[in-house]
Amino acid sequence: MADVNHAANKKAGLAQLQKNRRKSFWKEQTKGYLFFLPAAVILLMFVFYPIIWTFLVSFREVRPMEMRNTGLFEMPGQFVGLNQYIEIFHNPLFIKAMVNTLYFGTIYIPLTLVSAALLAVLLNQKLKGVNFFRTVIFIPYIISVVSASLIFLFLFNGDRGLINAVLLKFDLTGPNWLAHSLLAMPVIAIMSAWKKVGYFMLIYLAGLQNISHSLYESAKIDGANAFQRFWYITWPLLGRITLVVSVLLMIDTLNVFQEVYVMTGGGPGDSTTTVPFLIFNEAFVYFRMGPASAMSYVLFVVVIIITVLQKRAVDKRLG
Amino acid sequence: MINKLRQYGLVLFLWFVSLIFLVPLYWLFVSSVKSDAEITRFPPTFWPENFHWSNFVEVWSRLNFTQTFMNSIIVSTSTTILIVIFSTMAAYALSKKRIIGRNMILLVLVGTMTVPPTALLLPLYFIITKMGMYDTLISLILPFGVTVFGIFFMKQYMDDVPDELIEAARMDGCGDVRIFLQIIVPLVKPALVTLVLIEFVNNWNSFTMPLVLLQSESKYTLPLRLGLLASENVALPWSQILAANLLTIIPVVVLFLLLQKQFIKGIMEGAVKG
């Protein structure tokens, strides 16, 4: 009898213990989620909902006035399936915007990447004034795109800019840079490179400083010469960073908007109209929500593809 | 000997590179203090004939800079405060609390970092309008009150805080709020400072969101005011536009120069771990 009682007590005790444990488990969960709650609310409302909203609206034709009467959680307009995706790929301006973006990238990406890597290798040495050089090269990064755009707008001004004044010293007549359909985009690319080089240089520097000296020391002992040390130690690491940096540069390229808005307004002609600039115009100048959303999703998908490809490449190199 | 020559050559080269980076800023300064007559001349003078400091005073009143400046300060400061608080709290939950679906949440958060900013303009405009926040400064603060970058940045630091420390505190009867405020926050202070710097500068420089979400001039922030100067064709001499630009740049550059060590360290550490 006593034994049975004891067993029952033990069972009840165990159940109680488990219940307590479960209770404290859920208490832990609740507390954890409470800490995450403010961030979650903001992200759900202003990041996740917008991503879904854009996706749904990209399949709908919305007349400008229809936005007005739509509730916060309603979708405006009529469902039209893939029509708008088909339409934007028949839109010559969209194709032009992609070509322009490519033009920007072919100047901006190599220029920034090579300068950043080169400067990082140079500034990774023990030199007098190394911190001064690093600081000077990094300063443009903290200046806003708008401010930088205004400075370069004036630097490359056709009839009072510094660039043309310097060219004049060499008896050259400079063009009106930003009014020239082939030269406007390179100017924007050069400005972006000027602004961003310092940032990517720091990323390279961080990578270089992560290589421990003992690696070089033991390579030396094993009889590796300077070239071998570079080829087998520095280069693989730089290569990995280069992959990451090149993806970040590609994403930068796909996001060029403010500099175009301030410096050229997409012109001359359509020569500096980029995809984000076109999206902005479609949405806020012509109030065509559907095509703007469809273009946004095409852009989004391209960014995702680039990111995934990069991750694969990095894994492959490391694996 | 050859080594020394190489060294001198290198330093000379770096001076040349530094000049390239400094010339646009030099030109900004020189042009902003020229007279209206001098700035329209070609070829331009490389050093101003006389310094027109009055450009700064004039443009300040013309563009209603006191209010614009205040708007920028209000928006940047409030947003930064929210980001720091909410991102740090979220990072604590994701780093130290074994919440269900943690890996899933982290994965989704990483995914949102690939969304192009322009793709969010239209839906944000729609949502802000429907919530009745259009053309208010709150529309520039609340929706941006947490950044995924901030969450990851803080989480990386917190992952290095040993769990034993938290267990010990729990034994002593500390609740989560006290653990968070009295153990975690002091330990991740350097990261917090860096996050404040980065987010303040980001928000100070923000242009696209104010462009979409603001309408009345009394609400304008500095980059919006400046960005519209070029496209609105306001009849303002270039010297004054550049003076306004210089006034906008000075606060962040001063902030950077004062705290550059922290800044650079933060960005480099973020780069290595990220």
Side-chain angles (χ1 to χ4, degrees), chain A residues 115-179:
Chain A
S115 326
L118 182 74
L119 287 171
V121 170
L122 292 183
L123 291 175
N124 193 35
Q125 307 176 64
K126 281 204 180 80
L127 275 179
K128 240 189 189 160
V130 116
N131 278 327
F132 170 78
F133 294 128
R134 285 183 193 170
T135 306
V136 166
I137 293 165
F138 187 72
I139 280 182
Y141 180 68
I142 55 160
I143 293 173
S144 73
V145 177
V146 170
S147 294
S149 297
L150 283 173
I151 298 173
F152 273 70
L153 200 54
F154 189 64
L155 269 178
F156 282 88
N157 191 303
D159 38 55
R160 64 186 80 152
L162 175 67
I163 303 296
N164 281 355
V166 171
L167 286 178
L168 199 67
K169 294 253 173 217
F170 298 97
D171 282 329
L172 294 166
T173 314
N176 196 352
W177 298 86
L178 288 156

Side-chain angles (χ1 to χ4, degrees), chain A residues 13-244:
Chain A
L14 223 80
Q16 186 62 40
L17 205 74
Q18 255 172 358
K19 206 172 154 193
N20 281 346
R21 206 176 280 162
R22 221 177 297 142
K23 219 167 146 189
S24 75
F25 173 78
W26 286 115
K27 215 171 156 189
E28 273 293 293
Q29 292 296 319
T30 318
K31 276 191 200 156
Y33 272 104
L34 276 178
F35 272 93
F36 188 56
L37 190 67
V41 170
I42 291 175
L43 289 173
L44 281 174
M45 197 63 211
F46 300 106
V47 179
F48 292 104
Y49 181 51
I51 292 173
I52 296 164
W53 190 92
T54 306
F55 183 69
L56 295 175
V57 169
S58 72
F59 298 106
R60 303 176 80 86
E61 194 180 324
V62 188
R63 274 183 293 262
M65 291 308 283
E66 280 172 324
M67 292 277 284
R68 226 168 247 183
N69 307 318
T70 315
L72 178 54
F73 294 106
E74 275 178 279
M75 286 299 123
Q78 289 283 315
F79 183 79
V80 291
L82 284 171
N83 275 4
Q84 282 169 146
Y85 285 92
I86 297 165
E87 202 185 295
I88 59 170
F89 279 103
H90 285 99
N91 179 352
L93 197 52
F94 186 62
I95 309 294
K96 184 83 205 295
M98 290 199 282
V99 173
N100 289 341
T101 303
L102 204 68
Y103 184 32
F104 174 91
T106 50
I107 300 164
Y108 170 68
I109 296 174
L111 181 62
T112 315
L113 193 105
V114 172
S115 326
L118 182 74
L119 287 171
V121 170
L122 292 183
L123 291 175
N124 193 35
Q125 307 176 64
K126 281 204 180 80
L127 275 179
K128 240 189 189 160
V130 116
N131 278 327
F132 170 78
F133 294 128
R134 285 183 193 170
T135 306
V136 166
I137 293 165
F138 187 72
I139 280 182
Y141 180 68
I142 55 160
I143 293 173
S144 73
V145 177
V146 170
S147 294
S149 297
L150 283 173
I151 298 173
F152 273 70
L153 200 54
F154 189 64
L155 269 178
F156 282 88
N157 191 303
D159 38 55
R160 64 186 80 152
L162 175 67
I163 303 296
N164 281 355
V166 171
L167 286 178
L168 199 67
K169 294 253 173 217
F170 298 97
D171 282 329
L172 294 166
T173 314
N176 196 352
W177 298 86
L178 288 156
H180 191 288
S181 63
L182 276 178
L183 296 176
M185 199 55 123
V187 171
I188 297 177
I190 288 170
M191 185 209 81
S192 305
W194 174 78
K195 219 185 109 49
K196 277 294 196 68
V197 160
Y199 175 74
F200 292 112
M201 177 195 71
L202 280 191
I203 293 185
Y204 268 114
L205 265 177
L208 286 171
Q209 295 188 344
N210 242 19
I211 312 177
S212 86
H213 276 284
S214 60
L215 224 56
Y216 287 107
E217 294 302 321
S218 57
K220 249 186 209 169
I221 292 166
D222 289 344
N225 59 34
F227 174 76
Q228 284 169 325
R229 289 199 299 272
F230 176 80
W231 188 250
Y232 290 109
I233 301 171
T234 314
W235 176 242
L237 195 108
L238 276 184
R240 194 167 66 87
I241 302 172
T242 299
L243 264 170
V244 176

Side-chain angles (χ1 to χ4, degrees), chain A residues 28-29 31-33 48 53-54 67-68 70 125 133 135 142 144 147 154 159-160 162 194 206 210 303, chain B residues 6 10 18 21 31 42 44 46 93 97-98 100 108 114 123 126-127 130 176 205 238 245 256 260 272:
Chain A
E28 273 293 293
Q29 292 296 319
K31 276 191 200 156
Y33 272 104
F48 292 104
W53 190 92
T54 306
M67 292 277 284
R68 226 168 247 183
T70 315
Q125 307 176 64
F133 294 128
T135 306
I142 55 160
S144 73
S147 294
F154 189 64
D159 38 55
R160 64 186 80 152
L162 175 67
W194 174 78
N210 242 19
V303 173
Chain B
R6 218 200 73 179
L10 196 61
S18 301
F21 281 86
S31 309
F42 190 82
F46 289 88
K97 309 295 282 182
R98 304 273 160 245
I100 301 171
V108 171
T114 61
F126 174 81
I127 293 166
K130 294 299 161 192
D176 275 293
N205 289 339
W238 261 105
N245 197 9
F256 169 71
Q260 49 162 320
V272 177

Side-chain angles (χ1 to χ4, degrees), chain B residues 106-118:
Chain B
L106 289 173
L107 200 71
V108 171
L109 287 182
V110 171
T112 62
M113 287 175 104
T114 61
V115 181
T118 8

